[in-house]
Amino acid sequence: MKTKFLGVTMLALMVLFFPTITAHATDTQEPLTMQVEKITEDAHNTIIEENEIKSEDWLKFDISDLPAVSNGMFPNIPQEVGKKFIRLYYIGQIEEKYHKDGDFKPLFLINNNLQTAKVGFLHENGETTIIDINLNEIQANSIEQLSRASYTVSGSCSLKKSTSGLTYSVISSGKTTTSKKVDNVYCSITTYMNGIRLGMTSNNADNASSVSVQFTTPPNQFPAQYEVQGTHFGFLNSEIVDDYSSYSKSFSN
């Protein structure tokens, strides 16, 4: 485990602090993407191996896949199952309790039987955490119920570069909108740099139809890949009326 983790960490440090690729976007995007994908793949393999998970029994996905999972567009994961997973991960406070700054991007798994799920974290100190989820613990509202109630939630997240001299920061932002005013509208964004979490921030508003949130990354001067995952919820009488996930990726140098 130590050897595998050191391999992942050194690769991350090479991307973060010792980039060997040029600063032109056309030259950096593909190599940088490949390096970040390798960082994430190594982190996920470490979680799988350390916890003796049989990969063939599970459907595997990443933060970039959450919108598809939530919308029923991810292969072999029905929308109702995807919504249950999204709601348990966020409203069940799994991200808030276990996903820390400095962690690698989490590993998401739903069993082939669509009854259970796992979330795996590889932390900055090399330790792994696995959270088991019973997908029957929550009911996902059906599309027909949401349509009849006329309550729908949409959202977006984006990344914008801000330069200062030789350094730059990236501003990640998110906005949640509901089709009607709800008791509470919620928005959160989780920002990653080169596959490693920089921070999570959230905001909510009562008796409202929209809410926004923003996060500014630390200054940087090297080529980097930034990702932001947005989470959007609406509530009536403490019940979830609908949810939505958004995702954005950008390159800066």
Side-chain angles (χ1 to χ4, degrees), residues 202-215:
S202 63
N203 195 11
N204 67 89
D206 294 330
N207 190 30
S209 60
S210 68
V211 67
S212 300
V213 67
Q214 184 173 288
F215 174 83

Side-chain angles (χ1 to χ4, degrees), residues 176-190:
T176 302
T177 304
T178 60
S179 57
K180 294 182 180 180
K181 279 188 178 182
V182 291
D183 291 343
N184 187 271
V185 58
Y186 172 87
C187 179
S188 75
I189 52 173
T190 305

Side-chain angles (χ1 to χ4, degrees), residues 157-159 172-173 189-192 226-230 246-248:
C157 61
S158 61
L159 294 155
S172 55
S173 59
I189 52 173
T190 305
T191 306
Y192 297 86
Y226 291 88
E227 297 170 88
V228 57
Q229 168 61 36
S246 60
Y247 167 79
S248 182

Side-chain angles (χ1 to χ4, degrees), residues 67 70 83 86-87 90-91 152-158 173-178 184-189 203 211-213 228-235 240-247:
S70 178
K83 281 187 174 291
I86 296 289
R87 295 175 182 192
Y90 290 106
I91 304 303
T152 56
V153 172
S154 60
S156 62
C157 61
S158 61
S173 59
K175 182 177 182 179
T176 302
T177 304
T178 60
N184 187 271
V185 58
Y186 172 87
C187 179
S188 75
I189 52 173
N203 195 11
V211 67
S212 300
V213 67
V228 57
Q229 168 61 36
T231 308
H232 317 276
F233 281 89
F235 299 90
I240 301 168
V241 296
D242 197 10
D243 61 79
Y244 190 83
S245 291
S246 60
Y247 167 79

Side-chain angles (χ1 to χ4, degrees), residues 23-35:
H24 301 290
T26 54
D27 296 328
T28 64
Q29 288 189 7
E30 184 174 350
L32 185 56
T33 298
M34 292 174 62
Q35 291 181 63

Side-chain angles (χ1 to χ4, degrees), residues 42-191:
D42 286 351
H44 289 175
N45 287 339
T46 296
I47 295 169
I48 289 170
E49 292 171 11
E50 290 296 319
N51 293 277
E52 300 181 346
I53 297 171
K54 295 182 179 180
S55 296
E56 62 271 19
D57 295 337
W58 300 87
L59 301 166
K60 177 182 175 182
F61 52 100
D62 188 74
I63 61 161
S64 61
D65 300 313
L66 289 183
V69 170
S70 178
N71 294 331
M73 301 298 291
F74 193 86
N76 302 315
I77 300 179
Q79 184 175 28
E80 181 178 344
V81 174
K83 281 187 174 291
K84 286 181 179 181
F85 177 85
I86 296 289
R87 295 175 182 192
L88 285 166
Y89 179 65
Y90 290 106
I91 304 303
Q93 297 185 311
I94 293 173
E95 181 189 42
E96 183 177 335
K97 291 180 179 178
Y98 301 102
H99 194 16
K100 307 301 181 183
D101 294 350
D103 289 355
F104 293 86
K105 290 192 292 184
L107 167 69
F108 298 133
L109 299 166
I110 291 181
N111 194 273
N112 292 331
N113 64 17
L114 304 178
Q115 301 297 310
T116 59
K118 292 179 183 291
V119 180
F121 300 102
L122 176 57
H123 304 293
E124 190 175 18
N125 63 3
E127 295 181 356
T128 65
T129 299
I130 286 285
I131 307 300
D132 292 298
I133 299 175
N134 179 359
L135 292 173
N136 295 317
E137 289 180 358
I138 188 171
Q139 294 298 316
N141 292 333
S142 70
I143 298 302
E144 292 77 17
Q145 289 172 323
L146 292 173
S147 178
R148 286 199 300 269
S150 298
Y151 285 102
T152 56
V153 172
S154 60
S156 62
C157 61
S158 61
L159 294 155
K160 181 180 179 181
K161 184 177 176 181
S162 175
T163 58
S164 176
L166 297 176
T167 65
Y168 66 88
S169 295
V170 172
I171 302 170
S172 55
S173 59
K175 182 177 182 179
T176 302
T177 304
T178 60
S179 57
K180 294 182 180 180
K181 279 188 178 182
V182 291
D183 291 343
N184 187 271
V185 58
Y186 172 87
C187 179
S188 75
I189 52 173
T190 305
T191 306

